[in-house]
Amino acid sequence: MMSTNNQISVEIPQTVLDEVSQKLQDCKTLLAPYLKALTADQRKSLFKMGDKTVATVQKVKSYLETNPEFAPAYMDKAEFLKDEAVVTGLSPLSNLTEQLSSDIDDTVMLAGSEALMASMLYYGTAKEAASKGVATAKPVYEDLSQRFSKKGNKNFPAKD
């Protein structure tokens, strides 16, 4: 038996969705001149900075100020400082957007799961009514039955 345990019950006003969408678009537009997209191959080939190496880079920045004599002549100090500043400036924004994205994804997943379960219950009732000769159920069942897979587990809709 399918559970109808409701774990989420919210209504997000369209005005809130519109305002959030506009603000996210504003953020994207503001940052666009400074951001760079990478291909999958470019991402693979990069030497990557992690939590521990962020601290290392920040320590090197500090040493560059106190002990500049150890900077190799071929090191572009100005570019290093710009790169470090970008990491320091964007990291909090990256963390915030990852948290927001995760929360949005989780909410969509939960609400989607509940909506799909309810849809399956409705489909099952329409199927049963059609099998018992209820005339108005037949077109509903026939239409919805096209959305459900004939192979594998019949309790799950076909993927688009």
Side-chain angles (χ1 to χ4, degrees), residues 47-60 87:
F47 191 51
K48 293 174 188 65
M49 183 180 226
D51 287 342
K52 290 180 181 175
T53 50
V54 169
T56 302
V57 168
Q58 290 169 339
K59 192 162 282 250
V60 167
V87 170

Side-chain angles (χ1 to χ4, degrees), residues 123-142:
Y123 171 73
T125 302
K127 181 179 180 178
E128 184 178 337
S131 75
K132 291 186 173 165
V134 178
T136 55
K138 187 176 184 220
V140 172
Y141 165 68
E142 287 176 353

Side-chain angles (χ1 to χ4, degrees), residues 21-146:
S21 181
Q22 185 56 56
K23 288 181 179 194
L24 289 173
Q25 188 58 54
D26 292 347
C27 291
K28 185 177 176 189
T29 301
L30 277 170
L31 286 171
Y34 310 103
L35 302 181
K36 173 107 171 99
L38 300 173
T39 66
D41 286 343
Q42 288 171 320
R43 291 178 70 86
K44 279 185 203 172
S45 69
L46 285 176
F47 191 51
K48 293 174 188 65
M49 183 180 226
D51 287 342
K52 290 180 181 175
T53 50
V54 169
T56 302
V57 168
Q58 290 169 339
K59 192 162 282 250
V60 167
K61 175 187 174 192
S62 175
Y63 280 129
L64 266 175
E65 294 167 8
T66 60
N67 298 86
E69 68 272 17
F70 298 121
Y74 49 85
M75 178 184 184
D76 188 332
K77 182 179 173 185
E79 282 302 315
F80 167 80
L81 293 173
K82 282 170 57 177
D83 292 340
E84 187 278 333
V86 167
V87 170
T88 299
L90 287 181
S91 288
L93 298 181
S94 179
N95 293 338
L96 182 61
T97 58
E98 284 177 20
Q99 290 168 8
L100 178 61
S101 179
S102 178
D103 289 348
I104 289 172
D105 287 348
D106 288 351
T107 303
V108 167
M109 183 181 290
L110 183 57
S113 175
E114 290 184 1
L116 183 56
M117 294 295 277
S119 296
M120 290 169 64
L121 293 172
Y122 181 90
Y123 171 73
T125 302
K127 181 179 180 178
E128 184 178 337
S131 75
K132 291 186 173 165
V134 178
T136 55
K138 187 176 184 220
V140 172
Y141 165 68
E142 287 176 353
D143 184 37
L144 290 177
S145 68
Q146 296 173 32

